[in-house]
Each structure stands twice: as C-alpha cells, then as structure tokens.
Amino acid sequence: MKRFLTILFLTILSFQCSIFKPSNLDPTEDLGSLQSLLRFLAMADAFNTPSQTVLFMKFTDANGTPYVNGIIEYSVFNEADENGVGVSAFGESGNVQTYTATLDASGRAFLFFSERGFANISLKDSGNTFVGSISFRIYNGITKQLFSILNQNGSAQFILEDLANYRNRLASNFTFTPLGAANGRQFIYLEVLTSYTAPDQNTSIGYIASSADGEYYDLVTRIDGVTIEKNVSYEKILKISKPVFNGFDYVFFLSEEKRLYSPPNTFQENQNLVLSIPSFLTPGVATVSKLALASNLFLFRPDNLPWMYPVLYFNGRYMISPTLYTAVETKPILLNSDFKVNQDMQSAFSCNLADANFNAVGFHIISIGGSDYLQCPSIAIPSQTTQTRSIEGITLINRAVDFNGTPFSFETYPFYVRGKFVATFGAPPVLYTFNNADYLATSPSFTRSTTPISGFTSSINNGNSSAVLRTIKSSANADYFILSNNPTFAAPTVEIFRSTDDIASVTSIPTIPTNYSTTISNAEQLQSSNGLLNYSYAISSANNVGSFPSYLTRFTKNDGTWEDLPRLIKIR
C-alpha cells in the first residue's frame, strides 16, 4: 500500500503544468502540478456536488416592457449524470425535470436550480409565443457578480435582480426564523431536510447562521444532539431563544418540544437545552447540553409563534424566562456561568413575571460607569409612576429605581438608549425622555421631560392592554423604535420610527412594502446594521411541480425609505 501511494504521489508530481514555468523557485514544476490538481478538484466540487441556486429575475422586451404573465421554462444539463438517468420533480431519480413558472405583474419570477451544469431558460409571452432564451453555467460558489450569459436568442431582456447559492436545498419557508442579534451579528435558524416520505413523515437538521450585515451569512453551525421530525401522529420541533454573547461564545437556550402533529398541536413533553457557539473559529457543528431546571419549568411557548421572552447576559450570569407549567407563567430565572440555577428572580429580587403584554419588554441590561445592571419591572403598569429593580452584575445587590410620568400613565417600561431613558405614555402612545438623574445613587428617581420627542405620532391605540413599544434596534447613529398593537406579533399592525439625532426627534418609516413580502410575525425579523434597518423573512414561489422557499431581506435606504426590491439572503 505504501509503495502504491508513493508511486501515485510521484505520478502527480510528474504532471506537466502550463500555469507555472520551471524556475529557480519551482525547477521541477511541483507547485504547478499541485495547483493543477487542486484546480481540477475544485472544478469537480463546483459542478458535481449538490446545492441549490435561487435566481430572482425580470423579463422584458427590448424596450423594457415586462412580459406580464409570460411563461418561462428552465432546466439544467449536467454532463456528469445525464446519460440514461430519468428525471423527476425534485431529482429523486437522479435528475431534475424541466420547471415551468408564470411571471408576475412586473415580469419577475424566482427560479430554483438544484443541479450544477449548463442552465437554460426559455421565455414565452402570455400568448405562449417564444420570444427568447439564454444559457449559462451554474456551479457552487456562483454569485450575482460572477453570473454571465453564454448564449442568447431573441431580443428579450433577461435581467438578473439577485442570485443566491446554497450548499443544501432549502427546507420549508415556515422553518426560517430570525432569532435576533448579539455582538453586532444577526442570527437566523433554518432547516434542511434529511429524509422525506410525506408532509407528516420526514426528518430535518437544524442550523444557526449569522451575518455582520443581514444579507451575507458567512458563519453556519449545525445543531447536534437534537431530533427534528414529523412522524404521522406527533412532531418534534425546536424553539430557540434570542442570542446572547458572553465575550467568547454566542449562547442560545432551546426547547426540543414534542407535540401532536394535528392542530392544535397539543404539547406532550420537552427537553430544556443550551447551545454555545464559539465566536472565534466558529465550528461547523455544536452540540446542545441539557439544562438543569425544576421539573415544572419548561422553555417553550404554548403557541406556534417564535420565541419572544427575554434572555439576557451580564457579568457571567444569564437570565432566562421558562414557563411555569401548568400555570403558564413566565418566570424569570437567574443562571450562573455554568448554566446552573442561581435563584428565582421573582422571589429574590421582586421582579415581575415576564408576561408578554407588558413585563417582557421591561427587562434590560443597563451599562453605566463601567458596570452592568439588570433592570427588571417590579410594579405593574399602566400607572403614572412605576418602579424597576436594578441588580448589580457582580454583587447582585439590587436597588429600587423610581420613574415618574405624572400626569400621564406609562404605556411601556423605560428603555435605556443613547445614555438616556425613554418611554411611551398614553393611548395612542407619545414618546418622552427622562431627566438625567444619577442612576448609581442609592435611591435614583427619574422624572419625565415636559416636552415629548418631536415627530412621534402613532395611530396605534390598544387601550393600554399591552405595551405598544416592543423594542428598539440601534446601529451607527440610528435608532429604530418598533411599535406593534399585538405583543405576540400575530398579524400585527406595525409602526417604525427612526432617530438619527440622539433621540431629539424621530421620523416615521414607511410601511414595509408588500411586493415579494409577507406579514411580519416576529419582532426579531427587524434588525439594524450600519445605520440601516433590514427586515428578514421567507416566502414561497410556485412552479409546475410545487412551491419552493426564498429567504429574503429588505433594507431601508439612507433616507429611511425602503429599497424597491428585497435581496436574497446569501448563506455560505
């Protein structure tokens, strides 16, 4: 065997190479031969390994008029596996059949390619008359910038709006979940099918991906140690918390939940889990660990909506909000750095339960004077005055912090942003800041400013039944105030205001465009990067064999208005 390997290695080194000529640095052309081999292997990977490419395209005539309701047919010819292999809808036979799709009112469509090789698109107008075609190559690693047309027939224009290439086929758009942001990175959860028998009988693998800008997700980690499956009568799913960063790792709290498959998906059992993903040399796989909680505490929500309860980190400790079952109370619990329970924050610090309506948005980390403080609500609102508890991160000494909004009633608990406290009052809400009292005093007390923040005019009026101001997303010099009439974001009315002047004033952000979009269902779909706001979501697009998911994000422009079209999310 050793002799065979030696001969093989010498044979490789004897290959002739036209990239590097013999020189003093490479007299025997060893480097050139090695690079040739590496290039060959890279090409083999690019054209023969499975992946999926999504194209977002527009089709017009020579004058730019879109082919409304036009028809496209598209397919891929892969030299490696076309000989005598039959086609099928999703490639289960070895090759994927030709797909057909109808263009929308703008002449656009999403195209899905699950093979590598020569791709062909044929275009017909709404009367089924051929008007043009193109061919191009698809390979692993292709980008919009690298896309090029090899051949074209007809005068029609084939306009590439965007392109995304994935290492695996995307699963259902229903599994795509924005998780939130930590340490300047945005996180999403998605699934990849590993087996499929029927809609109620299949298995998947879960992944967490992160991005510095909300469009290019360059770090992807598979979640190991969990089961994601549908098995006719039941299903096992993951619900994942917002991320927190402890200085070394991104930490997520998970519930592997078993429930009945048929609605109303009655809860059966769950496992409370924690997942740590190192920020440096991020691994491709991370394994969950079991979380030691009391037997009546469950990290799950009694509905199908994404995670919404607070998860925080400060000075080596974590705060989570498991459900006290069967009372269905969300109880704030403090954990040590090893994820063992420190204490119940309700009994130890007089923190309120983390219910969805008001209290969930009242838990914050306040960083002042080089120290972190966990601030939690302790008196119910709406009221003209309220009180929070401030827990120092190292000693866990806690103090009462008073806020006075007289004569207006607090509509939400105070948020800390740009070095000042802000809160909304009344219904519909009005936004105010507070005076600069000494937060580090023994008994700090803050009073509402007399003048509201200009430009904040909300039409949402839910009669003080829940806090309308749900979150604030900040980056660069911009702060975005996210309002919702529904605390769970179930079919909500959403309003967004932006401040770029240290919260002296705000301007209204236009409603999220409805083209190539879907209704927001999770506050973490909205994130901010480089001073802009982006909205991440998934939609499905139909062709002649079924529906395929597209993962999208739409950005605001520098003036605060939305870009005309969404961008495809790119995942390494």
Side-chain angles (χ1 to χ4, degrees):
M1 185 64 182
K2 290 183 179 179
R3 183 179 179 185
F4 172 77
L5 292 175
T6 301
I7 294 173
L8 178 62
F9 181 71
L10 292 174
T11 303
I12 291 173
L13 294 183
S14 68
F15 285 164
Q16 295 299 310
C17 176
S18 60
I19 300 175
F20 290 115
K21 294 182 179 180
S23 68
N24 292 334
L25 294 177
D26 187 24
T28 62
E29 304 179 68
D30 292 347
L31 292 176
S33 298
L34 182 59
Q35 179 156 339
S36 291
L37 179 61
L38 292 175
R39 285 167 59 86
F40 174 78
L41 293 174
M43 290 293 288
D45 173 75
F47 290 106
N48 293 296
T49 53
S51 64
Q52 185 170 66
T53 301
V54 182
L55 274 62
F56 183 31
M57 297 191 73
K58 183 176 183 178
F59 304 83
T60 73
D61 63 18
N63 298 317
T65 302
Y67 282 105
V68 179
N69 296 327
I71 300 170
I72 55 171
E73 294 181 349
Y74 59 97
S75 60
V76 173
F77 178 83
N78 188 325
E79 306 96 314
D81 62 5
E82 293 290 345
N83 295 330
V85 178
V87 298
S88 53
F90 300 99
E92 55 269 32
S93 64
N95 283 319
V96 181
Q97 71 178 67
T98 297
Y99 288 163
T100 302
T102 301
L103 306 183
D104 64 17
S106 300
R108 294 190 179 93
F110 290 93
L111 289 71
F112 305 90
F113 298 89
S114 298
E115 291 185 291
R116 310 290 135 239
F118 287 100
N120 295 280
I121 303 176
S122 176
L123 172 64
K124 299 178 182 179
D125 62 20
S126 58
N128 209 35
T129 300
F130 174 83
V131 292
S133 65
I134 60 170
S135 65
F136 53 94
R137 269 199 178 276
I138 287 185
Y139 51 90
N140 281 340
I142 188 173
T143 64
K144 180 181 179 181
Q145 292 73 25
L146 295 175
F147 175 87
S148 63
I149 294 175
L150 298 177
N151 295 292
Q152 181 166 357
N153 295 311
S155 59
Q157 298 187 73
F158 295 75
I159 303 168
L160 180 65
E161 304 283 17
D162 207 357
L163 181 153
N165 176 248
Y166 305 101
R167 284 286 179 178
N168 296 284
R169 291 190 185 182
L170 304 181
S172 164
N173 58 300
F174 297 112
T175 66
F176 175 87
T177 307
L179 299 175
N183 191 39
R185 296 190 68 84
Q186 299 181 29
F187 292 82
I188 57 174
Y189 170 75
L190 61 150
E191 293 178 5
V192 172
L193 282 173
T194 53
S195 69
Y196 183 89
T197 303
D200 62 352
Q201 194 171 4
N202 53 73
T203 61
S204 297
I205 294 175
Y207 292 84
I208 289 178
S210 70
S211 166
D213 62 7
E215 180 181 3
Y216 294 91
Y217 285 78
D218 55 343
L219 298 178
V220 183
T221 300
R222 189 181 81 223
I223 304 172
D224 212 358
V226 297
T227 300
I228 307 169
E229 66 174 346
K230 294 179 177 65
N231 196 358
V232 184
S233 62
Y234 71 87
E235 63 180 350
K236 287 187 177 181
I237 63 169
L238 292 186
K239 291 185 178 178
I240 306 176
S241 77
K242 303 173 185 178
V244 292
F245 182 61
N246 64 15
F248 302 96
D249 300 332
Y250 297 104
V251 177
F252 302 82
F253 296 91
L254 299 81
S255 171
E256 181 188 286
E257 180 179 330
K258 181 180 180 181
R259 63 188 189 182
L260 296 184
Y261 177 74
S262 300
N265 306 116
T266 306
F267 171 77
Q268 301 294 295
E269 62 185 24
N270 91 314
Q271 290 192 81
N272 299 317
L273 307 169
V274 61
L275 178 72
S276 297
I277 301 177
S279 61
F280 181 69
L281 298 178
T282 300
V285 181
T287 304
V288 299
S289 300
K290 289 190 176 182
L291 199 60
L293 296 178
S295 60
N296 61 343
L297 292 177
F298 299 87
L299 286 175
F300 83 102
R301 285 184 56 170
D303 52 42
N304 290 324
L305 297 170
W307 193 291
M308 59 176 288
Y309 299 112
V311 173
L312 301 171
Y313 172 83
F314 74 130
N315 289 95
R317 296 182 176 90
Y318 303 88
M319 193 209 80
I320 60 174
S321 305
T323 297
L324 179 62
Y325 196 74
T326 57
V328 197
E329 297 175 347
T330 47
K331 203 169 187 65
I333 302 292
L334 193 64
L335 304 179
N336 293 323
S337 59
D338 60 1
F339 304 114
K340 293 181 180 178
V341 173
N342 181 293
Q343 50 196 313
D344 174 349
M345 296 184 66
Q346 186 185 18
S347 58
F349 304 116
S350 300
C351 293
N352 285 353
L353 293 171
D355 71 85
N357 287 343
F358 288 104
N359 299 342
V361 296
F363 290 81
H364 303 285
I365 300 298
I366 311 293
S367 297
I368 294 179
S371 298
D372 289 340
Y373 301 83
L374 194 159
Q375 183 164 292
C376 67
S378 61
I379 292 180
I381 59 173
S383 62
Q384 293 184 5
T385 60
T386 191
Q387 186 179 89
T388 64
R389 306 299 298 186
S390 177
I391 305 163
E392 201 273 330
I394 297 175
T395 64
L396 296 186
I397 294 174
N398 77 97
R399 303 162 297 132
V401 181
D402 293 310
F403 292 89
N404 190 335
T406 306
F408 304 124
S409 291
F410 281 87
E411 192 273 338
T412 189
Y413 289 101
F415 286 77
Y416 189 72
V417 59
R418 301 286 171 186
K420 63 189 73 174
F421 286 100
V422 299
T424 49
F425 295 83
V430 179
L431 185 65
Y432 285 86
T433 60
F434 289 80
N435 69 313
N436 292 321
D438 183 6
Y439 187 82
L440 302 182
T442 304
S443 300
S445 180
F446 292 83
T447 302
R448 177 189 55 80
S449 301
T450 57
T451 304
I453 295 174
S454 65
F456 191 93
T457 304
S458 172
S459 61
I460 297 178
N461 187 343
N462 62 359
N464 282 324
S465 60
S466 66
V468 169
L469 177 59
R470 303 306 301 182
T471 185
I472 301 173
K473 306 295 185 182
S474 302
S475 68
N477 70 329
D479 302 289
Y480 294 88
F481 297 79
I482 314 298
L483 282 66
S484 171
N485 69 327
N486 190 323
T488 65
F489 278 76
T493 297
V494 173
E495 294 177 347
I496 306 171
F497 295 89
R498 181 181 75 151
S499 174
T500 57
D501 57 5
D502 203 28
I503 319 181
S505 64
V506 298
T507 56
S508 177
I509 297 293
T511 302
I512 299 171
T514 57
N515 62 327
Y516 314 107
S517 189
T518 187
T519 303
I520 188 172
S521 60
N522 173 7
E524 300 308 318
Q525 291 178 257
L526 292 163
Q527 297 295 332
S528 182
S529 176
N530 301 317
L532 305 177
L533 190 69
N534 64 290
Y535 167 52
S536 300
Y537 57 97
I539 62 173
S540 61
S541 302
N543 59 27
N544 59 313
V545 301
S547 294
F548 293 79
S550 297
Y551 297 163
L552 303 168
T553 190
R554 192 188 291 262
F555 286 84
T556 57
K557 295 180 283 190
N558 290 329
D559 63 0
T561 60
W562 293 96
E563 291 182 346
D564 294 333
L565 294 174
R567 309 179 196 181
L568 284 163
I569 285 176
K570 289 80 177 175
I571 303 174
R572 177 182 62 82

